[in-house]
Amino acid sequence: MDLGSPVKNDEKEMSSPLKRSHDDNPQDTEISPVKSSGETPEKEGKHSDGRLSSESPPDKKRKVENEEEHSHNKQKREKQEEERLKMQVLVSNFSEDQLNRYEMYRRAAFPRAAIKRLMQSITGSSVSQNVVIAMSGIAKVFVGEVVESALDVTEQWNDTGPLQPRHLREAVRRLKNTGLIPSSKTKKVFFQP
């Protein structure tokens, strides 16, 4: 190519690392880098305002996952708030006796140190604090089931006064028969199928 000779427009575009978009108005032209033959262009999408975005598919996927997680967390918070308001209305309508019982129920808990010692003696290994908290909660629910069943027993037997050991024993027997409490003793199988 001779320096003094005029260069064609096509040759200028090929030699320049930048190319102009084909638009009639030179003020509105966009300049974008020209890719070499070995490079693949990134997938480009458009924003809502018409701008080009160069987000890669994994970035888009993460963005969608984050948005879904955010909406899920928002729904969860709204549901918890709704349940809290319902509970607040319920507690405000309690009688004095019901309020005292509910307060005692909320305060009642198994000592975590005793639960931890018991679990470590059974398993023979150390137990994490989260497991101890979960087990003490499960134990509280179990005791609630037994007491509720014992109260049903006292009502059926037409007894009055506080719960007695015989009511609790009968409640545990009934819960075992229904399968809510697993039997601690192994049952003898007389016939093999």
Side-chain angles (χ1 to χ4, degrees):
M1 178 158 72
D2 189 19
L3 292 176
S5 68
V7 179
K8 294 180 183 177
N9 285 343
D10 293 335
E11 290 176 3
K12 283 183 184 176
E13 284 183 355
M14 296 305 273
S15 64
S16 170
L18 301 175
K19 71 175 186 180
R20 293 191 180 270
S21 65
H22 300 290
D23 213 354
D24 293 338
N25 191 352
Q27 295 172 347
D28 294 332
T29 60
E30 291 183 44
I31 299 176
S32 62
V34 175
K35 304 282 184 188
S36 67
S37 61
E39 295 178 61
T40 58
E42 291 183 17
K43 293 189 177 185
E44 295 183 346
K46 286 197 173 187
H47 289 285
S48 59
D49 58 356
R51 295 180 294 130
L52 290 177
S53 74
S54 60
E55 285 186 5
S56 63
D59 290 341
K60 287 182 182 179
K61 186 177 180 182
R62 268 188 246 119
K63 188 175 181 180
V64 168
E65 288 173 354
N66 287 341
E67 288 173 358
E68 288 174 357
E69 185 178 334
H70 179 70
S71 65
H72 177 70
N73 288 341
K74 185 177 179 183
Q75 289 174 350
K76 191 175 178 182
R77 282 193 302 268
E78 288 173 356
K79 189 175 181 181
Q80 287 174 346
E81 181 67 21
E82 184 180 323
E83 288 176 2
R84 189 185 66 79
L85 289 174
K86 284 181 182 179
M87 195 64 191
Q88 199 172 23
V89 169
L90 181 66
V91 170
S92 66
N93 291 325
F94 277 169
S95 68
E96 190 68 29
D97 187 38
Q98 288 173 327
L99 195 58
N100 288 336
R101 279 200 312 239
Y102 180 69
E103 188 177 337
M104 293 302 289
Y105 156 75
R106 292 288 294 190
R107 286 185 182 176
F110 284 95
R112 291 186 183 152
I115 295 285
K116 187 171 186 172
R117 267 195 318 274
L118 178 66
M119 289 181 70
Q120 285 177 346
S121 69
I122 292 171
T123 61
S125 61
S126 66
V127 181
S128 73
Q129 191 65 25
N130 289 340
V131 174
V132 172
I133 291 169
M135 187 55 71
S136 64
I138 291 169
K140 184 176 175 179
V141 170
F142 172 72
V143 169
E145 290 284 331
V146 171
V147 168
E148 188 176 343
S149 181
L151 289 171
D152 290 342
V153 168
T154 57
E155 189 177 306
Q156 288 174 356
W157 289 355
N158 294 325
D159 287 346
T160 57
L163 288 177
Q164 296 176 1
R166 63 191 179 114
H167 299 135
L168 293 170
R169 277 191 228 100
E170 178 62 20
V172 169
R173 188 189 66 76
R174 289 182 183 184
L175 289 172
K176 278 185 181 177
N177 286 341
T178 58
L180 294 175
I181 298 177
S183 179
S184 58
K185 297 178 183 176
T186 58
K187 293 182 180 177
K188 293 180 182 178
V189 179
F190 295 109
F191 299 104
Q192 289 282 340

